[in-house]
Amino acid sequence: MYKRQIEASKDLTPENEYYVGRSVATTILARHDYAYRDARALRRGELGGLTEYVNRVGAVVAYAALEVSRDGDREAPLAGWHFVVLEHDSINAFAAPGGYVFVTSGALRNATSEDELAAVLAHEVAHVRRGHALGSIKKSRWANVAKDALSTTVQLDEAALGNLTQAFEGAMEDMTDALIVKGYSRDTEFEADRVGLEIMQRAGYDPRAFVAYLRRLADKQHTGTGGFYATHPKASERIAKLEAKVAALPEPEPSKARLKRFKQAIKALD
């Protein structure tokens, strides 16, 4: 999997990745029954309500992720990180290349603390940092996206432009399927959990919240469909791989201020 990620991303500049991610995000929102939370503020180019709060938490998590570096990590997103709340009852979250992270209102309702929200966001930020969506592109498709074609200095004739467009459309389909329909490989999801746990700890959040959130998912998994249930391994399997790691980590002091602002922000979902 690691080799595939390198092959898929080695020719992408931060500019390329930004536009690829934006295209994937647009495709997902156009094809599925999602609506923006706090849409009026977003149309004005502003952050408001619950979306503003999630972006504040996301910014802390994303900054910490830059301090958890591994070989093959993608660079910081060119245009920064974008955390978007989607008005949907399903429990789901997904991330496109270039720093686009989406979380549903259903996923927020499943959280009981800011630390648990941070766990969800850290998992998605880890996917972006590790280039997992790029690694989902079929090798046969990516072979058609030559390095020269990705350069803005190369003039493409009509046939070459058509081939490039077709290759990128196929790449968008591969990434969209990985995010929404088929999910990533189990190893990739487990890696995002491991890296996400490190990010949480670096950001000062309680890593035990990660397992607590997954336990709540496990309780609902036998009745839930779609979202996390369709695209992620069983919560019980994820818990089994994280429990020992979490138990060995120091437990941070509980933050009353953090809990207070979470409860205040989450009231918007009532």
Side-chain angles (χ1 to χ4, degrees):
M1 182 64 195
Y2 173 75
K3 184 178 180 181
R4 284 284 310 284
Q5 290 163 217
I6 296 299
E7 289 174 349
S9 62
K10 65 181 179 180
D11 293 330
L12 281 182
T13 66
E15 292 84 0
N16 296 149
E17 188 165 350
Y18 166 72
Y19 285 109
V20 167
R22 192 170 72 170
S23 297
V24 172
T26 301
T27 299
I28 289 171
L29 294 173
R31 290 185 183 180
H32 297 271
D33 185 24
Y34 289 124
Y36 290 116
R37 179 91 187 183
D38 305 308
R40 290 183 181 179
L42 290 173
R43 281 195 291 269
R44 295 194 301 268
E46 302 172 357
L47 294 176
L50 188 58
T51 300
E52 180 181 10
Y53 171 69
V54 170
N55 270 266
R56 289 182 182 276
V57 177
V60 173
V61 170
Y63 184 81
L66 297 178
E67 299 180 335
V68 182
S69 297
R70 294 165 179 255
D71 186 32
D73 274 356
R74 301 302 296 163
E75 296 182 29
L78 180 69
W81 292 84
H82 303 273
F83 297 89
V84 180
V85 180
L86 301 174
E87 193 63 71
H88 204 276
D89 289 336
S90 66
I91 298 176
N92 205 0
F94 46 88
Y100 294 91
V101 178
F102 300 88
V103 58
T104 63
S105 53
L108 294 177
R109 286 189 181 92
N110 192 61
T112 63
S113 68
E114 184 173 300
D115 297 71
E116 291 186 13
L117 168 60
V120 175
L121 300 182
H123 176 90
E124 299 307 325
V125 166
H127 277 312
V128 176
R129 284 284 283 160
R130 298 302 295 148
H132 289 159
L134 299 172
S136 69
I137 302 172
K138 293 179 182 177
K139 190 174 182 179
S140 58
R141 295 194 201 275
W142 195 253
N144 294 323
V145 186
K147 185 174 183 179
D148 287 344
L150 290 169
S151 172
T152 57
T153 63
V154 175
Q155 296 295 318
L156 301 176
D157 59 28
E158 187 173 347
L161 183 60
N163 290 337
L164 179 61
T165 300
Q166 185 176 15
F168 265 111
E169 286 178 349
M172 297 306 108
E173 290 177 6
D174 291 342
M175 285 187 274
T176 300
D177 282 348
L179 294 174
I180 299 296
V181 182
K182 299 175 183 176
Y184 293 123
S185 71
R186 292 163 61 84
D187 287 346
T188 299
E189 289 295 349
F190 292 143
E191 181 182 38
D193 281 348
R194 291 194 304 271
V195 176
L197 196 67
E198 291 181 38
I199 293 171
M200 281 188 71
Q201 186 183 15
R202 189 76 178 190
Y205 286 106
D206 186 353
R208 289 161 181 75
F210 206 150
V211 173
Y213 190 88
L214 289 175
R215 287 194 190 284
R216 209 165 297 110
L217 276 179
D219 291 340
K220 299 175 180 178
Q221 194 130 31
H222 66 286
T223 57
T225 59
F228 269 94
Y229 308 116
T231 59
H232 290 70
K234 288 183 179 180
S236 57
E237 296 177 2
R238 297 170 67 187
I239 291 168
K241 288 185 173 292
L242 289 175
E243 271 187 318
K245 296 180 182 296
V246 168
L249 296 175
E251 185 174 356
E253 288 291 326
S255 171
K256 292 181 180 180
R258 191 179 291 169
L259 184 59
K260 181 179 179 180
R261 68 190 180 211
F262 172 81
K263 288 183 175 180
Q264 183 65 35
I266 216 73
K267 281 182 180 178
L269 294 176
D270 293 340

Short mmCIF file of all heavy atoms in Angstrom, two decimals, residues 18-82:
data_model
loop_
_atom_site.label_atom_id
_atom_site.label_comp_id
_atom_site.label_asym_id
_atom_site.label_seq_id
_atom_site.Cartn_x
_atom_site.Cartn_y
_atom_site.Cartn_z
N TYR A 18 -4.14 20.25 -4.66
CA TYR A 18 -5.23 21.14 -4.27
C TYR A 18 -6.40 21.01 -5.24
O TYR A 18 -7.56 20.85 -4.83
CB TYR A 18 -4.74 22.58 -4.22
CG TYR A 18 -5.86 23.60 -4.16
CD1 TYR A 18 -6.61 23.78 -3.00
CD2 TYR A 18 -6.16 24.38 -5.27
CE1 TYR A 18 -7.65 24.71 -2.95
CE2 TYR A 18 -7.19 25.32 -5.23
CZ TYR A 18 -7.93 25.47 -4.07
OH TYR A 18 -8.95 26.38 -4.03
N TYR A 19 -6.11 21.07 -6.54
CA TYR A 19 -7.18 21.02 -7.52
C TYR A 19 -7.79 19.62 -7.62
O TYR A 19 -9.00 19.47 -7.84
CB TYR A 19 -6.67 21.49 -8.88
CG TYR A 19 -6.51 22.99 -8.94
CD1 TYR A 19 -5.24 23.57 -8.97
CD2 TYR A 19 -7.61 23.82 -8.93
CE1 TYR A 19 -5.09 24.95 -8.99
CE2 TYR A 19 -7.48 25.20 -8.94
CZ TYR A 19 -6.21 25.77 -8.99
OH TYR A 19 -6.07 27.13 -8.99
N VAL A 20 -6.97 18.59 -7.44
CA VAL A 20 -7.51 17.23 -7.41
C VAL A 20 -8.47 17.07 -6.23
O VAL A 20 -9.58 16.57 -6.37
CB VAL A 20 -6.37 16.19 -7.30
CG1 VAL A 20 -6.92 14.81 -6.95
CG2 VAL A 20 -5.60 16.10 -8.62
N GLY A 21 -8.05 17.53 -5.06
CA GLY A 21 -8.89 17.42 -3.87
C GLY A 21 -10.18 18.20 -4.01
O GLY A 21 -11.25 17.72 -3.61
N ARG A 22 -10.09 19.39 -4.57
CA ARG A 22 -11.30 20.20 -4.76
C ARG A 22 -12.27 19.51 -5.71
O ARG A 22 -13.48 19.54 -5.50
CB ARG A 22 -10.92 21.58 -5.29
CG ARG A 22 -12.07 22.58 -5.23
CD ARG A 22 -11.61 23.98 -5.52
NE ARG A 22 -11.28 24.17 -6.92
CZ ARG A 22 -11.04 25.37 -7.47
NH1 ARG A 22 -11.08 26.45 -6.70
NH2 ARG A 22 -10.75 25.47 -8.74
N SER A 23 -11.73 18.88 -6.74
CA SER A 23 -12.58 18.16 -7.69
C SER A 23 -13.26 16.96 -7.03
O SER A 23 -14.44 16.70 -7.26
CB SER A 23 -11.75 17.69 -8.90
OG SER A 23 -11.24 18.79 -9.61
N VAL A 24 -12.50 16.23 -6.21
CA VAL A 24 -13.08 15.07 -5.52
C VAL A 24 -14.17 15.53 -4.55
O VAL A 24 -15.26 14.94 -4.50
CB VAL A 24 -11.98 14.30 -4.74
CG1 VAL A 24 -12.61 13.22 -3.86
CG2 VAL A 24 -11.00 13.66 -5.71
N ALA A 25 -13.90 16.58 -3.79
CA ALA A 25 -14.88 17.09 -2.84
C ALA A 25 -16.16 17.53 -3.55
O ALA A 25 -17.28 17.22 -3.11
CB ALA A 25 -14.29 18.25 -2.06
N THR A 26 -16.00 18.22 -4.67
CA THR A 26 -17.16 18.68 -5.44
C THR A 26 -17.95 17.51 -5.98
O THR A 26 -19.20 17.50 -5.96
CB THR A 26 -16.71 19.58 -6.60
OG1 THR A 26 -15.98 20.70 -6.08
CG2 THR A 26 -17.89 20.10 -7.40
N THR A 27 -17.25 16.49 -6.46
CA THR A 27 -17.90 15.30 -7.01
C THR A 27 -18.73 14.59 -5.95
O THR A 27 -19.88 14.19 -6.18
CB THR A 27 -16.85 14.33 -7.59
OG1 THR A 27 -16.14 14.97 -8.64
CG2 THR A 27 -17.52 13.06 -8.14
N ILE A 28 -18.16 14.44 -4.77
CA ILE A 28 -18.86 13.76 -3.67
C ILE A 28 -20.13 14.51 -3.29
O ILE A 28 -21.22 13.93 -3.16
CB ILE A 28 -17.93 13.63 -2.45
CG1 ILE A 28 -16.83 12.61 -2.73
CG2 ILE A 28 -18.73 13.21 -1.21
CD1 ILE A 28 -15.76 12.56 -1.67
N LEU A 29 -20.02 15.82 -3.14
CA LEU A 29 -21.17 16.61 -2.73
C LEU A 29 -22.24 16.65 -3.80
O LEU A 29 -23.44 16.73 -3.50
CB LEU A 29 -20.72 18.03 -2.38
CG LEU A 29 -19.81 18.14 -1.15
CD1 LEU A 29 -19.28 19.56 -1.01
CD2 LEU A 29 -20.53 17.72 0.11
N ALA A 30 -21.83 16.57 -5.06
CA ALA A 30 -22.80 16.61 -6.17
C ALA A 30 -23.55 15.29 -6.31
O ALA A 30 -24.71 15.26 -6.71
CB ALA A 30 -22.09 16.95 -7.47
N ARG A 31 -22.90 14.19 -5.97
CA ARG A 31 -23.48 12.87 -6.20
C ARG A 31 -24.29 12.34 -5.02
O ARG A 31 -25.09 11.41 -5.18
CB ARG A 31 -22.37 11.85 -6.53
CG ARG A 31 -21.73 12.06 -7.88
CD ARG A 31 -20.74 10.94 -8.16
NE ARG A 31 -20.05 11.15 -9.42
CZ ARG A 31 -19.13 10.30 -9.89
NH1 ARG A 31 -18.78 9.24 -9.18
NH2 ARG A 31 -18.54 10.54 -11.05
N HIS A 32 -24.08 12.88 -3.85
CA HIS A 32 -24.71 12.32 -2.66
C HIS A 32 -25.60 13.35 -1.98
O HIS A 32 -25.50 14.55 -2.21
CB HIS A 32 -23.64 11.79 -1.70
CG HIS A 32 -22.85 10.67 -2.28
ND1 HIS A 32 -23.21 9.34 -2.16
CD2 HIS A 32 -21.71 10.67 -3.03
CE1 HIS A 32 -22.33 8.58 -2.80
NE2 HIS A 32 -21.41 9.36 -3.32
N ASP A 33 -26.47 12.86 -1.15
CA ASP A 33 -27.49 13.69 -0.51
C ASP A 33 -26.93 14.42 0.71
O ASP A 33 -27.31 14.16 1.84
CB ASP A 33 -28.68 12.81 -0.11
CG ASP A 33 -29.84 13.62 0.46
OD1 ASP A 33 -29.92 14.81 0.12
OD2 ASP A 33 -30.64 13.06 1.21
N TYR A 34 -25.99 15.32 0.45
CA TYR A 34 -25.38 16.09 1.53
C TYR A 34 -25.71 17.57 1.38
O TYR A 34 -25.78 18.08 0.27
CB TYR A 34 -23.86 15.92 1.53
CG TYR A 34 -23.37 14.56 1.96
CD1 TYR A 34 -22.54 13.81 1.14
CD2 TYR A 34 -23.75 14.02 3.19
CE1 TYR A 34 -22.09 12.56 1.54
CE2 TYR A 34 -23.30 12.78 3.59
CZ TYR A 34 -22.47 12.05 2.76
OH TYR A 34 -22.03 10.81 3.15
N ALA A 35 -25.87 18.25 2.48
CA ALA A 35 -26.10 19.69 2.48
C ALA A 35 -25.19 20.32 3.52
O ALA A 35 -24.94 19.74 4.58
CB ALA A 35 -27.56 20.01 2.81
N TYR A 36 -24.69 21.52 3.22
CA TYR A 36 -23.80 22.21 4.15
C TYR A 36 -24.55 22.65 5.41
O TYR A 36 -25.64 23.19 5.33
CB TYR A 36 -23.21 23.45 3.50
CG TYR A 36 -22.20 23.20 2.42
CD1 TYR A 36 -22.45 23.58 1.11
CD2 TYR A 36 -20.99 22.60 2.72
CE1 TYR A 36 -21.52 23.36 0.11
CE2 TYR A 36 -20.05 22.37 1.73
CZ TYR A 36 -20.32 22.76 0.43
OH TYR A 36 -19.39 22.55 -0.55
N ARG A 37 -23.91 22.46 6.54
CA ARG A 37 -24.38 23.08 7.77
C ARG A 37 -23.88 24.53 7.76
O ARG A 37 -22.80 24.82 7.23
CB ARG A 37 -23.79 22.33 8.97
CG ARG A 37 -24.18 22.90 10.32
CD ARG A 37 -25.44 22.26 10.84
NE ARG A 37 -25.91 22.91 12.06
CZ ARG A 37 -26.97 22.48 12.74
NH1 ARG A 37 -27.64 21.43 12.33
NH2 ARG A 37 -27.34 23.12 13.82
N ASP A 38 -24.63 25.45 8.32
CA ASP A 38 -24.24 26.86 8.35
C ASP A 38 -23.99 27.40 6.95
O ASP A 38 -23.03 28.14 6.68
CB ASP A 38 -22.98 27.07 9.22
CG ASP A 38 -23.17 26.50 10.62
OD1 ASP A 38 -24.16 26.85 11.27
OD2 ASP A 38 -22.32 25.69 11.05
N ALA A 39 -24.87 27.00 6.02
CA ALA A 39 -24.68 27.31 4.60
C ALA A 39 -24.69 28.82 4.32
O ALA A 39 -23.95 29.30 3.46
CB ALA A 39 -25.75 26.62 3.77
N ARG A 40 -25.53 29.57 5.02
CA ARG A 40 -25.61 31.00 4.75
C ARG A 40 -24.28 31.69 5.01
O ARG A 40 -23.83 32.54 4.23
CB ARG A 40 -26.71 31.63 5.61
CG ARG A 40 -28.13 31.24 5.19
CD ARG A 40 -29.15 31.98 6.05
NE ARG A 40 -30.51 31.60 5.67
CZ ARG A 40 -31.60 32.08 6.27
NH1 ARG A 40 -31.48 32.93 7.29
NH2 ARG A 40 -32.80 31.70 5.87
N ALA A 41 -23.65 31.33 6.11
CA ALA A 41 -22.34 31.92 6.43
C ALA A 41 -21.31 31.51 5.40
O ALA A 41 -20.48 32.33 4.96
CB ALA A 41 -21.90 31.50 7.83
N LEU A 42 -21.33 30.26 4.97
CA LEU A 42 -20.38 29.78 3.98
C LEU A 42 -20.55 30.51 2.66
O LEU A 42 -19.56 30.80 1.98
CB LEU A 42 -20.54 28.27 3.78
CG LEU A 42 -20.09 27.38 4.95
CD1 LEU A 42 -20.48 25.94 4.69
CD2 LEU A 42 -18.59 27.51 5.17
N ARG A 43 -21.80 30.80 2.28
CA ARG A 43 -22.02 31.53 1.03
C ARG A 43 -21.45 32.94 1.11
O ARG A 43 -21.09 33.53 0.08
CB ARG A 43 -23.52 31.58 0.71
CG ARG A 43 -24.06 30.29 0.10
CD ARG A 43 -25.43 30.51 -0.52
NE ARG A 43 -26.45 30.77 0.48
CZ ARG A 43 -27.20 29.83 1.05
NH1 ARG A 43 -27.02 28.55 0.71
NH2 ARG A 43 -28.12 30.14 1.94
N ARG A 44 -21.36 33.49 2.31
CA ARG A 44 -20.75 34.81 2.49
C ARG A 44 -19.23 34.72 2.63
O ARG A 44 -18.55 35.72 2.83
CB ARG A 44 -21.32 35.49 3.74
CG ARG A 44 -22.81 35.81 3.67
CD ARG A 44 -23.19 36.77 4.79
NE ARG A 44 -22.89 36.22 6.11
CZ ARG A 44 -23.74 35.52 6.85
NH1 ARG A 44 -24.97 35.25 6.37
NH2 ARG A 44 -23.40 35.07 8.05
N GLY A 45 -18.72 33.49 2.56
CA GLY A 45 -17.28 33.30 2.73
C GLY A 45 -16.85 33.37 4.17
O GLY A 45 -15.69 33.70 4.47
N GLU A 46 -17.77 33.04 5.09
CA GLU A 46 -17.48 33.12 6.52
C GLU A 46 -17.70 31.77 7.19
O GLU A 46 -18.39 30.91 6.65
CB GLU A 46 -18.40 34.16 7.19
CG GLU A 46 -18.30 35.55 6.60
CD GLU A 46 -19.37 36.48 7.15
OE1 GLU A 46 -20.22 36.00 7.95
OE2 GLU A 46 -19.37 37.67 6.79
N LEU A 47 -17.10 31.60 8.36
CA LEU A 47 -17.37 30.44 9.19
C LEU A 47 -18.31 30.87 10.30
O LEU A 47 -18.11 31.92 10.92
CB LEU A 47 -16.07 29.90 9.80
CG LEU A 47 -15.06 29.31 8.83
CD1 LEU A 47 -13.80 28.90 9.58
CD2 LEU A 47 -15.63 28.12 8.08
N GLY A 48 -19.33 30.06 10.54
CA GLY A 48 -20.28 30.41 11.58
C GLY A 48 -20.82 29.18 12.28
O GLY A 48 -20.71 28.06 11.77
N GLY A 49 -21.39 29.40 13.46
CA GLY A 49 -22.08 28.33 14.16
C GLY A 49 -21.20 27.13 14.46
O GLY A 49 -20.01 27.25 14.80
N LEU A 50 -21.78 25.95 14.30
CA LEU A 50 -21.07 24.70 14.59
C LEU A 50 -19.87 24.50 13.66
O LEU A 50 -18.85 23.96 14.07
CB LEU A 50 -22.05 23.54 14.45
CG LEU A 50 -21.58 22.16 14.89
CD1 LEU A 50 -21.14 22.16 16.35
CD2 LEU A 50 -22.69 21.13 14.67
N THR A 51 -19.99 24.97 12.42
CA THR A 51 -18.89 24.84 11.46
C THR A 51 -17.65 25.59 11.94
O THR A 51 -16.52 25.11 11.79
CB THR A 51 -19.32 25.34 10.08
OG1 THR A 51 -20.44 24.58 9.62
CG2 THR A 51 -18.19 25.21 9.07
N GLU A 52 -17.85 26.76 12.52
CA GLU A 52 -16.72 27.52 13.05
C GLU A 52 -16.04 26.77 14.17
O GLU A 52 -14.79 26.69 14.23
CB GLU A 52 -17.19 28.89 13.55
CG GLU A 52 -16.05 29.74 14.10
CD GLU A 52 -16.51 31.08 14.61
OE1 GLU A 52 -17.74 31.29 14.72
OE2 GLU A 52 -15.65 31.93 14.92
N TYR A 53 -16.82 26.19 15.06
CA TYR A 53 -16.26 25.42 16.17
C TYR A 53 -15.45 24.22 15.67
O TYR A 53 -14.32 23.99 16.12
CB TYR A 53 -17.37 24.96 17.10
CG TYR A 53 -16.92 23.99 18.17
CD1 TYR A 53 -16.09 24.39 19.21
CD2 TYR A 53 -17.32 22.65 18.12
CE1 TYR A 53 -15.67 23.48 20.18
CE2 TYR A 53 -16.90 21.74 19.08
CZ TYR A 53 -16.07 22.17 20.11
OH TYR A 53 -15.65 21.27 21.06
N VAL A 54 -16.02 23.47 14.73
CA VAL A 54 -15.32 22.30 14.19
C VAL A 54 -14.02 22.72 13.52
O VAL A 54 -13.00 22.03 13.60
CB VAL A 54 -16.23 21.52 13.21
CG1 VAL A 54 -15.46 20.44 12.47
CG2 VAL A 54 -17.41 20.90 13.97
N ASN A 55 -14.02 23.86 12.85
CA ASN A 55 -12.79 24.35 12.23
C ASN A 55 -11.74 24.74 13.26
O ASN A 55 -10.54 24.56 13.02
CB ASN A 55 -13.10 25.54 11.32
CG ASN A 55 -13.42 25.12 9.90
OD1 ASN A 55 -12.55 25.07 9.03
ND2 ASN A 55 -14.68 24.79 9.67
N ARG A 56 -12.17 25.25 14.39
CA ARG A 56 -11.21 25.59 15.45
C ARG A 56 -10.54 24.33 15.99
O ARG A 56 -9.32 24.29 16.17
CB ARG A 56 -11.91 26.35 16.58
CG ARG A 56 -12.33 27.77 16.21
CD ARG A 56 -12.98 28.48 17.38
NE ARG A 56 -13.44 29.81 17.02
CZ ARG A 56 -12.69 30.89 17.01
NH1 ARG A 56 -11.41 30.80 17.35
NH2 ARG A 56 -13.19 32.06 16.68
N VAL A 57 -11.34 23.31 16.22
CA VAL A 57 -10.78 22.04 16.70
C VAL A 57 -9.91 21.42 15.60
O VAL A 57 -8.80 20.93 15.86
CB VAL A 57 -11.90 21.05 17.10
CG1 VAL A 57 -11.32 19.71 17.52
CG2 VAL A 57 -12.74 21.65 18.23
N GLY A 58 -10.41 21.46 14.38
CA GLY A 58 -9.66 20.91 13.25
C GLY A 58 -8.32 21.59 13.05
O GLY A 58 -7.33 20.93 12.71
N ALA A 59 -8.27 22.90 13.26
CA ALA A 59 -7.02 23.63 13.09
C ALA A 59 -5.97 23.17 14.09
O ALA A 59 -4.79 23.03 13.75
CB ALA A 59 -7.28 25.14 13.24
N VAL A 60 -6.39 22.91 15.32
CA VAL A 60 -5.47 22.42 16.35
C VAL A 60 -4.94 21.03 15.95
O VAL A 60 -3.74 20.76 16.04
CB VAL A 60 -6.17 22.35 17.72
CG1 VAL A 60 -5.27 21.67 18.75
CG2 VAL A 60 -6.55 23.74 18.19
N VAL A 61 -5.85 20.19 15.50
CA VAL A 61 -5.48 18.83 15.10
C VAL A 61 -4.53 18.87 13.89
O VAL A 61 -3.51 18.17 13.85
CB VAL A 61 -6.75 18.02 14.76
CG1 VAL A 61 -6.38 16.69 14.10
CG2 VAL A 61 -7.56 17.76 16.03
N ALA A 62 -4.86 19.70 12.90
CA ALA A 62 -4.05 19.77 11.68
C ALA A 62 -2.65 20.31 11.97
O ALA A 62 -1.66 19.83 11.39
CB ALA A 62 -4.75 20.65 10.65
N TYR A 63 -2.57 21.29 12.86
CA TYR A 63 -1.25 21.82 13.22
C TYR A 63 -0.41 20.74 13.89
O TYR A 63 0.79 20.59 13.61
CB TYR A 63 -1.40 23.03 14.15
CG TYR A 63 -0.09 23.69 14.50
CD1 TYR A 63 0.51 24.59 13.63
CD2 TYR A 63 0.56 23.40 15.71
CE1 TYR A 63 1.73 25.18 13.94
CE2 TYR A 63 1.76 23.99 16.03
CZ TYR A 63 2.34 24.89 15.14
OH TYR A 63 3.55 25.46 15.45
N ALA A 64 -1.03 19.98 14.77
CA ALA A 64 -0.31 18.90 15.46
C ALA A 64 0.15 17.84 14.46
O ALA A 64 1.22 17.23 14.63
CB ALA A 64 -1.20 18.27 16.53
N ALA A 65 -0.65 17.63 13.41
CA ALA A 65 -0.31 16.61 12.41
C ALA A 65 0.99 16.94 11.69
O ALA A 65 1.72 16.04 11.27
CB ALA A 65 -1.45 16.48 11.39
N LEU A 66 1.29 18.23 11.54
CA LEU A 66 2.53 18.63 10.89
C LEU A 66 3.75 18.27 11.73
O LEU A 66 4.87 18.20 11.22
CB LEU A 66 2.52 20.14 10.62
CG LEU A 66 1.44 20.63 9.65
CD1 LEU A 66 1.51 22.15 9.53
CD2 LEU A 66 1.58 19.97 8.29
N GLU A 67 3.53 18.03 13.02
CA GLU A 67 4.63 17.67 13.91
C GLU A 67 4.75 16.15 14.07
O GLU A 67 5.60 15.68 14.81
CB GLU A 67 4.42 18.33 15.27
CG GLU A 67 4.40 19.86 15.19
CD GLU A 67 4.18 20.50 16.54
OE1 GLU A 67 3.58 19.85 17.41
OE2 GLU A 67 4.60 21.66 16.72
N VAL A 68 3.86 15.42 13.41
CA VAL A 68 3.91 13.96 13.42
C VAL A 68 4.25 13.53 12.00
O VAL A 68 3.38 13.18 11.21
CB VAL A 68 2.57 13.34 13.87
CG1 VAL A 68 2.66 11.82 13.92
CG2 VAL A 68 2.16 13.88 15.23
N SER A 69 5.51 13.62 11.64
CA SER A 69 5.94 13.39 10.26
C SER A 69 6.47 11.98 10.07
O SER A 69 7.18 11.44 10.91
CB SER A 69 7.01 14.41 9.86
OG SER A 69 6.48 15.71 9.88
N ARG A 70 6.11 11.41 8.93
CA ARG A 70 6.59 10.09 8.54
C ARG A 70 7.06 10.14 7.09
O ARG A 70 6.62 11.00 6.33
CB ARG A 70 5.47 9.04 8.67
CG ARG A 70 5.00 8.79 10.09
CD ARG A 70 3.67 8.05 10.09
NE ARG A 70 3.22 7.79 11.45
CZ ARG A 70 3.26 6.59 12.03
NH1 ARG A 70 3.71 5.55 11.37
NH2 ARG A 70 2.84 6.43 13.27
N ASP A 71 7.91 9.22 6.70
CA ASP A 71 8.37 9.15 5.32
C ASP A 71 7.16 8.96 4.39
O ASP A 71 6.33 8.08 4.62
CB ASP A 71 9.34 7.98 5.16
CG ASP A 71 9.96 7.93 3.77
OD1 ASP A 71 10.14 9.01 3.18
OD2 ASP A 71 10.25 6.83 3.29
N GLY A 72 7.06 9.79 3.39
CA GLY A 72 5.96 9.67 2.43
C GLY A 72 4.77 10.56 2.73
O GLY A 72 3.82 10.60 1.95
N ASP A 73 4.80 11.31 3.85
CA ASP A 73 3.69 12.21 4.17
C ASP A 73 3.56 13.28 3.09
O ASP A 73 4.56 13.78 2.56
CB ASP A 73 3.93 12.90 5.52
CG ASP A 73 3.44 12.07 6.69
OD1 ASP A 73 2.85 11.01 6.47
OD2 ASP A 73 3.66 12.50 7.84
N ARG A 74 2.32 13.66 2.81
CA ARG A 74 2.07 14.77 1.91
C ARG A 74 2.39 16.09 2.61
O ARG A 74 2.35 16.18 3.83
CB ARG A 74 0.60 14.77 1.46
CG ARG A 74 0.17 13.50 0.75
CD ARG A 74 1.00 13.21 -0.48
NE ARG A 74 0.82 14.24 -1.49
CZ ARG A 74 1.66 14.43 -2.52
NH1 ARG A 74 2.75 13.68 -2.62
NH2 ARG A 74 1.42 15.37 -3.40
N GLU A 75 2.71 17.09 1.81
CA GLU A 75 3.00 18.40 2.38
C GLU A 75 1.71 19.03 2.93
O GLU A 75 0.61 18.59 2.62
CB GLU A 75 3.60 19.31 1.30
CG GLU A 75 4.95 18.85 0.79
CD GLU A 75 5.53 19.81 -0.23
OE1 GLU A 75 5.22 21.02 -0.14
OE2 GLU A 75 6.26 19.37 -1.12
N ALA A 76 1.88 20.09 3.73
CA ALA A 76 0.71 20.81 4.23
C ALA A 76 -0.10 21.32 3.05
O ALA A 76 0.46 21.74 2.04
CB ALA A 76 1.16 21.98 5.10
N PRO A 77 -1.43 21.26 3.12
CA PRO A 77 -2.27 21.70 2.00
C PRO A 77 -1.96 23.13 1.57
O PRO A 77 -1.77 24.02 2.41
CB PRO A 77 -3.69 21.60 2.57
CG PRO A 77 -3.60 20.56 3.63
CD PRO A 77 -2.24 20.75 4.24
N LEU A 78 -1.91 23.34 0.28
CA LEU A 78 -1.53 24.64 -0.28
C LEU A 78 -2.45 25.76 0.20
O LEU A 78 -1.99 26.85 0.53
CB LEU A 78 -1.57 24.56 -1.82
CG LEU A 78 -1.20 25.82 -2.57
CD1 LEU A 78 0.29 26.11 -2.40
CD2 LEU A 78 -1.53 25.66 -4.06
N ALA A 79 -3.74 25.49 0.22
CA ALA A 79 -4.73 26.52 0.60
C ALA A 79 -5.24 26.33 2.02
O ALA A 79 -6.32 26.81 2.37
CB ALA A 79 -5.88 26.52 -0.40
N GLY A 80 -4.50 25.60 2.83
CA GLY A 80 -4.92 25.37 4.20
C GLY A 80 -5.95 24.24 4.30
O GLY A 80 -6.32 23.63 3.30
N TRP A 81 -6.41 24.00 5.52
CA TRP A 81 -7.38 22.94 5.77
C TRP A 81 -8.79 23.50 5.76
O TRP A 81 -9.01 24.64 6.19
CB TRP A 81 -7.09 22.28 7.12
CG TRP A 81 -5.81 21.50 7.13
CD1 TRP A 81 -4.56 21.99 7.35
CD2 TRP A 81 -5.65 20.09 6.90
NE1 TRP A 81 -3.62 20.98 7.27
CE2 TRP A 81 -4.27 19.81 7.00
CE3 TRP A 81 -6.55 19.06 6.64
CZ2 TRP A 81 -3.77 18.53 6.84
CZ3 TRP A 81 -6.04 17.78 6.47
CH2 TRP A 81 -4.67 17.52 6.57
N HIS A 82 -9.72 22.71 5.28
CA HIS A 82 -11.13 23.11 5.24
C HIS A 82 -11.95 22.01 5.92
O HIS A 82 -12.02 20.88 5.43
CB HIS A 82 -11.60 23.28 3.79
CG HIS A 82 -10.79 24.27 3.01
ND1 HIS A 82 -11.06 25.62 3.00
CD2 HIS A 82 -9.69 24.10 2.24
CE1 HIS A 82 -10.18 26.24 2.25
NE2 HIS A 82 -9.34 25.34 1.77
#
